[in-house]
Amino acid sequence: MTKKLYIETVGCQMNMLDSELVVASLRREGYELTANKKEADAILLNTCSVRQHAEDKTYSELGRLKHAKAHNPHKVIGVLGCMAQKDQHLIFKRAPYVDLVVGPGQLHQVPQLIRQIVAGGGPRIEVSLDRTAGSNEQIKRSHESFDPLRDPAMRPTPYQAYVRIMIGCDKFCTYCIVPSVRGPEQSRPAADIVAEARQLAGEGCREITLLGQTVNSYRYRAGDVTTRLADLLAQLHDIDGIARLKFVTNYPKDMTDDLLRAVRDLPKVSPYLHVPAQSGSNRVLERMKRGYTVEEYRDMLQCTRETVPDAAVTSDFIVGFCGETEEDFQATCDLVRESRFKNSFIFKYSERPGTKGAARYPDDIPDDEKKRRNNELLGIQNAISHEDNQSQIGRQFEVLVEGPSKTSQKQGETGTVIQLTGRTHCDRIVVFEGTERQIGQLLPVTIYDASAFTLFGHVVTHEAGPELYELVASSK
Ligand code: SF4
């Protein structure tokens, strides 16, 4: 009999990829996905620890699952990911009916652990070593992941895939929990990444997004040969079938000239660069231990714009970090105003136990003030995004069609013409009318309107290719 698996994923693209891999491994054990928690034999929550709010939500969800477990004691309840690594046995204390706790470096063990639980072996926990609990090699080995297993059904779309090229982080920004929960920075062998990309291309994938906490720090040495991100992009560029290559998230100091030249010279590499600045104040950047000054960030941005003039650059900012004065915050506003980011992700600082920030500095900005700064910065960025998108009106873009738009899905649109969504090469979201048969294609779209977040367009039909004509002919 098939068993049913319900999995919920929060957090970053790394977590989405991890869930894809866990599902792939459990499908081999006879599990099928369900969207219904009630009928699930196993419920897995793949968690995030970057902000307190994400953890609170997971514990609330666990609270709700207490009744499900009481109703069906054979239901396996598991907590995976960063919060599992961070809280470990605390999860069993707070939710004693949880069966399984597995950190991100141990996810390959999920199938056998579930088997043991189902066989009556009781609760199971598998986490990686803490950053001080062994030699660097031991810690690295305990954080290895299991990337070759893929499940196309769990990808954002069949035409897009994430490929992990690095795990962990050694930068130790003082606010960030990632180095503790995802372990030391390790780059995957280039040959493995290329082989995985070839496999994905063979399955019909058109766009690959390379993932790493600091993806542009990628560096893999085999004998005398060192492969860096620019070299890896050149190797991936040769794969037939792959039309687009993206990479996130970049560390400002590692945005090297050779990488920018690769973005400029390799047509499949998207001119889209996510390079989090986090603050526009040197005082705050120093307390965050980001390793660069705002002047260096500006230089990096100028170099990026000179080398890749049409690049869409996006950023992250944290407002209300410990000790951030109004003057510091205004320096951040100035940086956002002058940098003309395509968009920015803005977060209120959330203290994370176990980080240097939590140990060294009091979280002294009241929540109301953090909210005010968040809204002010968001207002500045949104006005820029709006202006920037307005300037795209009248332009024609090649759009990779991802599927029905959110509106279309909500309204349950069916029929010959539906509203579709896709992205330009520089990662702008475009909404337009089309047919389901266009999903997965690269289509020319002309933009006729724009909001801060979305471009609205028409498919340039005379270039739409035989599929559209075939459809018109067959519908007569
Ligand atoms: S670079 Fe800094 S913010 Fe990014 S994952 Fe590493 S420690 Fe966290």
Side-chain angles (χ1 to χ4, degrees), residues 166-337:
M166 296 176 75
I167 56 171
C169 182
D170 284 342
K171 306 289 192 286
F172 289 100
C173 303
T174 55
Y175 55 82
C176 184
I177 193 75
V178 167
S180 312
V181 290
R182 295 231 171 220
E185 194 171 289
Q186 301 183 65
S187 295
R188 271 181 85 195
D192 290 4
I193 297 166
V194 173
E196 190 176 341
R198 278 192 205 288
Q199 183 199 328
L200 288 162
E203 291 168 4
C205 181
R206 310 294 314 272
E207 176 184 283
I208 285 180
T209 302
L210 307 176
L211 295 185
Q213 305 296 346
T214 55
V215 73
N216 55 344
S217 317
Y218 176 84
R219 181 181 284 261
Y220 184 77
R221 185 169 297 156
D224 293 340
V225 182
T226 300
T227 308
R228 303 192 323 147
L229 182 56
D231 310 314
L232 182 64
L233 288 169
Q235 292 178 32
L236 295 168
H237 197 267
D238 288 341
I239 298 175
D240 286 340
I242 298 297
R244 285 184 181 177
L245 291 163
K246 295 179 178 172
F247 50 97
V248 287
T249 292
N250 293 286
Y251 187 62
K253 266 183 89 170
D254 291 336
M255 194 52 88
T256 52
D257 291 346
D258 67 325
L259 178 56
L260 291 173
R261 283 196 297 272
V263 178
R264 180 192 64 194
D265 297 339
L266 299 170
K268 291 182 184 176
V269 177
S270 292
Y272 159 62
L273 298 166
H274 182 60
V275 200
Q278 304 299 11
S279 172
S281 155
N282 282 336
R283 219 179 60 90
V284 175
L285 288 172
E286 204 184 322
R287 285 161 82 91
M288 288 177 165
K289 208 177 151 284
R290 283 290 287 174
Y292 53 85
T293 62
V294 71
E295 290 77 19
E296 285 167 335
Y297 187 89
R298 282 195 180 102
D299 288 348
M300 180 279 304
L301 206 54
Q302 191 185 337
C303 195
T304 301
R305 296 240 154 94
E306 279 168 12
T307 315
V308 196
D310 60 345
V313 183
T314 61
S315 187
D316 290 344
F317 288 93
I318 295 172
V319 294
F321 185 66
C322 318
E324 185 191 67
T325 62
E326 183 59 26
E327 199 185 326
D328 294 323
F329 171 65
Q330 289 305 326
T332 300
C333 295
D334 290 344
L335 181 65
V336 170
R337 273 189 207 99

